[in-house]
């Protein structure tokens, strides 16, 4: 194909002109020779070569010559016209080339075999700032980035051999000293002998495209808010140092997982824009803090690795989660010192929207160990340790250990089992009666979850928290609510009472946070056709107080729906009755921790009395939770507590057990307390 190309180039318009001119000259010489011979033979005295010939007289001879001259003239005119046409085409082509090259945004250059510039289009001035005069004084490789020069020269050599160069990207210096990215293709121009003498190079300025590509690549690996490396880049850095630590056993590093405590409060109270501004400040402070640490702890020996990992030292891996890679440390003590120092720095108040904000952080540390083969495992373990730090009271740091790993694995297993349990329908509803002290009858039940496992029934203490954290609680409790409502409808028709039997259901923070919680409850209630006033929604005071503005909105909506609202485990949170005043609450459930001591501890008795009194003043009913003895029930009766729930009457049991209890109290009229425990 290249040979064909070269051949075509060699038989170009110029070649045609030359060929035609040669033919003209040849014809002219031939005609001149014939004319000369004719004239000489006719005019020279004594030359009888033609004159005595019988077969050709002079007139015919002259006529023949005239015809020849005429033919020559016609041929000359024809060739001349052809030449004119070709020249015109050539001129037009040249003009076109000039217009294209002079106006093209691409830079077009012609260089000779040794790299000397023969032509540079005006686009060079626009893109690189050099005039063609300035360029003529320099060699074609002079402005090319030194790192790219070998590649460019190699490509030029290749183009000379093959006739066409490959697409190539390289950098060229602008007159102002900056580098521009160019994309070029070279085409070789052969001479008549087919040897390549010139290269036409078309360069396109792709600096903006390159910049966009770089920005895209940067965005893929960086957090858009803080511009810190993101999880993917951080993982890559950890992978790098992990490999390094496998090669050099003395090389130690640690991963810190930082989670800001109560950051949600900032977002909720000051708004997301303020939250973002705070995160940027935190990122800056963290990065300034580790830079100092880095220079202290990093040895010269590992300089190269450090340089590679430097950018990944601090990353933002989630909303309020940051990770830090501490390299070349001596032992885990170094990591703990850094964590403590970070905590000290973070605790200094930030100013956001002219308000002082104090932020604490829980930090988990995973120290490198040869057992690690995967960078994700290190981050996961640091995160597990961070969760431990949170559970142990926040604003502290925890180092990951093997025991945590066992717990985490168990937890993971439990999580998987929980999801399967939901699919297999292994959750059961148990019912614990709530007894009216006035009538001695069951006023209602609290629906409580149980997990039917091969080894037996599992109580919520083992799974509610994980169900909550993983979100499994949402479908789980929707099923529970439906089943409890269906059961209540059946009991209400079998055991009619005034007021009708009630059913209490518990709501966790995650459920409470759902924007469509009220709509969900409404749908279930109308599907099951149960009076909303028969349902008691229990929320703990901690949930109610976490975001009191939202709580009061949701509770008002629930109230508007017609369901009753109970504050569960009252007394274990930090709120007071006066703070609850703003909420549309119907019932207070006084926590078991008070009731269990009511008969033995005078102080507790006093507290319970005050709680009941204040609740009554606010128009609330009181349910005492966890009454186990007759004395406790008697005292509660004296304190005018309306309702009691506890083992004294009955433990939570399945629907059959609850049904049996109802039969006892409702079928045999006015059977007195105590109810037989199940
Ligand atoms: P809670 O809402 O305060 O429920 C009362 C808990 O106290 C129940 O424990 C009940 O068995 C226990 N209890 C009642 N009387 C006595 C007593 O006299 N002595 C003692 N020692 N304990 C008594 P359970 O069923 O283990 O539930 C524990 C917590 O788990 C519940 O506390 C509730 O907050 C949560 N929970 C249980 N089931 C569900 C559910 O289906 N959904 C949600 N969201 N939470 C649930
Ligand atoms: Mg409850
Ligand atoms: Mg409770």
């Amino acid at each position: 194909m290249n040979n064909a190309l070269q051949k075509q180039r060699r038989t170009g318009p110029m070649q045609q002109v030359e060929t035609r001119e040669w033919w003209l000259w040849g014809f002219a010489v031939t005609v001149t020779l014939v004319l000369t011979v004719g004239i000489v033979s006719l005019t020279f005295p004594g030359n009888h070569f033609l004159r005595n010939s019988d077969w050709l007289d002079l007139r015919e001879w002259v006529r023949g010559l005239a015809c020849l001259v005429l033919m020559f003239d016609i041929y000359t005119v024809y060739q001349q016209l052809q030449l004119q046409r070709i020249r015109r085409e050539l001129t037009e082509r040249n003009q076109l080339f000039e217009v294209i090259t002079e106006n093209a945004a691409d830079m077009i250059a012609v260089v000779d075999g040794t790299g000397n510039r023969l032509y540079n289009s005006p686009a060079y001035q626009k893109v690189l700032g050099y005039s063609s005069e300035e360029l003529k004084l320099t060699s074609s490789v002079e402005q090319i980035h030194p790192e790219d020069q070998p590649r460019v020269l190699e490509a030029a050599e290749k183009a000379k051999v093959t006739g066409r160069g490959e697409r190539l990207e390289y950098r060229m210096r602008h007159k102002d000293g900056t580098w521009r990215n160019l994309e070029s293709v070279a085409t070789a121009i052969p001479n008549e002998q087919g040897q390549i003498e010139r290269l036409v190079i078309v360069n396109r300025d792709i600096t903006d495209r390159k910049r966009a590509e770089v920005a895209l690549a940067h965005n893929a690996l960086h957090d858009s808010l803080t511009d810190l490396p993101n999880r993917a880049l951080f993982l890559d850095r950890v992978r790098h140092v992990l490999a390094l630590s496998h090669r050099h056993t003395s090389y130690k590093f640690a991963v810190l997982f930082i989670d800001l405590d109560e950051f949600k409060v900032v977002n909720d109270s000051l708004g997301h824009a303020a939250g973002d501004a705070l995160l940027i400040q935190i990122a800056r402070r963290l990065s300034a803090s580790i830079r100092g640490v880095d220079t202290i702890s990093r040895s010269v020996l590992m300089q190269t690795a450090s340089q590679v990992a430097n950018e990944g030292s601090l990353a933002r891996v989630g909303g309020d989660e940051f990770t830090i890679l501490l390299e070349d440390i001596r032992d885990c003590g170094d990591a703990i010192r850094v964590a403590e120092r970070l905590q000290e720095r973070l605790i200094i108040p930030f100013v956001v929207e002219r308000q002082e904000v104090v932020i604490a952080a829980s930090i988990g540390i995973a120290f490198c160990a040869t057992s690690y083969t995967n960078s994700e495992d290190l981050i996961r373990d640091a995160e597990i340790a961070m969760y431990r730090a949170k559970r142990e009271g926040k604003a502290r740091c925890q180092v990951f250990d093997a025991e945590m790993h066992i717990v985490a694995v168990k937890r993971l297993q439990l999580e998987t089992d929980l999801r399967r349990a939901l699919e297999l329908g292994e959750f059961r509803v148990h019912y614990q009666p709530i007894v009216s002290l006035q009538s001695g009858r069951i006023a209602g039940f609290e629906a409580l979850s149980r997990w039917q496992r091969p080894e037996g029934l599992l109580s919520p203490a083992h799974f509610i928290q994980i169900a909550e954290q993983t979100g499994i609680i949402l479908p789980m409790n929707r099923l529970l609510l439906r089943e409890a409502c269906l059961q209540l409808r059946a009991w209400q028709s079998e055991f009619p009472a005034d007021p009708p039997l009630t059913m209490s259901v518990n709501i966790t923070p995650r459920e409470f946070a759902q924007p469509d919680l009220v709509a969900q409850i409404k749908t279930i209630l109308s599907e099951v056709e149960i009076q909303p006033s028969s349902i008691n929604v229990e929320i703990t005071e901690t949930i109610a107080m976490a975001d009191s503005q939202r709580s009061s909105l949701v509770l008002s909506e629930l109230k508007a729906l017609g369901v009753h609202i109970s504050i569960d485990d009252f007394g274990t949170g930090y709120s007071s009755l006066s703070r609850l005043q703003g909420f549309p609450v119907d019932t207070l459930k006084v926590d078991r921790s008070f009731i269990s001591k009511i008969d033995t501890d005078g102080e507790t008795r006093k507290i319970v009395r005050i709680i009941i009194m204040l609740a009554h003043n606010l128009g609330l009913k009181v349910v005492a939770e966890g009454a186990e003895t007759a004395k406790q029930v008697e005292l509660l009766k004296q304190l005018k507590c309306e309702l009691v729930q506890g083992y004294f009457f009955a433990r939570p049991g399945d629907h059959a057990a609850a049904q049996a209890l109802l039969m006892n109290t409702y079928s045999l009229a006015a059977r007195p307390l105590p109810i037989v425990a199940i």
Side-chain angles (χ1 to χ4, degrees), residues 122-248:
Y124 271 86
Q125 177 131 32
K126 276 184 225 145
V127 178
L128 295 173
Y130 305 102
S131 66
S132 19
E133 286 69 33
E134 285 169 317
L135 283 172
K136 268 182 203 141
L137 300 175
T138 62
S139 110
S140 60
V141 283
E142 219 167 292
Q143 286 91 11
I144 296 174
H145 197 289
E147 284 173 17
D148 299 339
Q149 280 180 12
R151 256 185 331 116
V152 176
L153 291 173
E154 194 188 328
E157 283 309 310
K158 238 189 209 169
K160 279 187 215 163
V161 176
T162 60
R164 189 164 180 87
E166 288 160 8
R167 196 166 289 275
L168 187 75
E169 282 183 18
Y170 61 97
R171 287 158 292 174
M172 228 168 169
R173 196 188 309 107
H174 190 278
K175 201 176 171 185
D176 64 12
T178 58
W179 293 103
R180 308 290 299 179
N181 291 82
L182 304 183
E183 183 186 68
S184 81
V185 179
T187 309
I189 301 182
N191 61 13
E192 270 148 59
Q193 287 75 44
Q195 291 155 341
I196 308 288
E197 291 195 316
R198 294 171 192 183
L199 283 178
V200 175
I201 305 158
V202 179
N203 291 303
R204 176 163 297 175
D205 181 16
I206 53 161
T207 313
D208 291 340
R209 195 182 84 196
K210 267 277 166 231
R211 262 189 216 136
E213 280 170 11
V214 169
L216 275 178
H218 182 87
N219 290 350
L221 294 173
H222 290 79
D223 163 46
S224 57
L225 180 69
T226 58
D227 206 35
L228 287 176
N230 63 12
R231 193 183 182 92
L233 182 56
F234 188 77
L235 271 171
D236 191 57
R237 304 298 184 209
V238 176
R239 206 172 296 134
H240 188 89
V241 288
L242 193 61
L244 193 72
S245 76
H246 284 158
R247 284 201 300 275
H248 306 270

Side-chain angles (χ1 to χ4, degrees), residues 372-580:
Y372 282 114
T373 51
N374 189 339
S375 53
E376 304 220 7
D377 291 351
L378 265 149
I379 298 175
R380 180 204 60 205
D381 287 352
E383 191 176 2
I384 291 171
M386 180 279 291
Y387 277 120
R388 173 67 67 90
K390 278 233 188 270
R391 272 201 298 280
E392 287 179 357
K394 302 184 178 169
R396 62 192 65 210
C397 76
Q398 263 292 344
V399 180
F400 179 82
D401 61 28
E403 189 231 333
M404 276 186 215
H405 184 73
I406 295 165
V407 173
V409 169
K410 270 195 190 156
R411 212 191 108 98
L412 212 67
Q413 185 59 46
L414 193 64
E415 205 182 302
T416 319
D417 291 352
L418 264 178
R419 286 188 203 284
R420 253 211 343 259
L422 197 66
E423 285 164 22
L424 300 175
E426 289 179 352
F427 293 111
R428 305 275 174 270
V429 189
H430 275 206
Y431 303 94
Q432 188 177 29
I434 299 169
V435 175
S436 157
L437 286 181
Q438 204 191 354
S439 66
R441 284 188 168 204
I442 293 173
F445 290 89
E446 176 169 5
L448 297 157
S449 289
R450 297 290 181 268
W451 183 3
Q452 186 68 63
R453 303 217 76 187
E455 58 271 25
L457 265 189
L458 223 59
S459 77
H462 294 99
F463 62 88
I464 285 281
Q465 203 190 354
I466 296 179
E468 167 76 356
Q469 282 164 4
T470 52
I472 300 171
I473 194 85
L474 303 177
M476 197 179 117
N477 269 4
R478 270 200 297 272
L479 289 174
L480 176 130
L481 178 63
R482 184 181 296 276
E483 192 175 332
C485 285
L486 283 167
Q487 186 60 72
L488 180 66
R489 198 181 62 183
W491 283 335
Q492 280 184 342
S493 64
E494 201 175 335
F495 307 102
D498 186 24
L501 285 170
T502 62
M503 186 64 72
S504 300
V505 288
N506 295 283
I507 300 281
T508 64
R510 185 118 182 199
E511 290 181 272
F512 196 70
Q514 294 176 103
D516 61 342
L517 172 75
V518 182
Q520 278 183 39
I521 295 179
K522 189 178 177 179
T523 313
I524 294 175
L525 295 187
S526 64
E527 278 171 11
V528 179
E529 291 175 359
I530 201 112
Q531 280 296 317
S533 57
S534 303
I535 301 299
N536 250 308
V537 170
E538 296 189 5
I539 62 160
T540 62
E541 49 179 329
T542 321
I543 302 177
M545 290 305 161
D547 179 357
S548 51
Q549 237 176 338
R550 201 187 111 76
S551 297
S552 95
L553 196 81
V554 178
L555 294 180
S556 308
E557 283 177 33
L558 283 170
K559 196 79 199 142
L561 183 63
V563 300
H564 285 225
I565 296 158
S566 301
I567 297 293
D568 203 358
D569 304 341
F570 185 78
T572 53
Y574 298 105
S575 69
S576 62
L577 270 174
S578 59
R579 285 194 67 196
L580 281 176

Side-chain angles (χ1 to χ4, degrees), residues 249-263:
T249 43
S250 60
Y251 180 73
K252 307 244 179 299
F253 69 95
V255 170
L256 269 58
F257 199 106
I258 304 169
D259 188 285
L260 306 174
D261 296 332
E262 314 295 350
F263 187 76

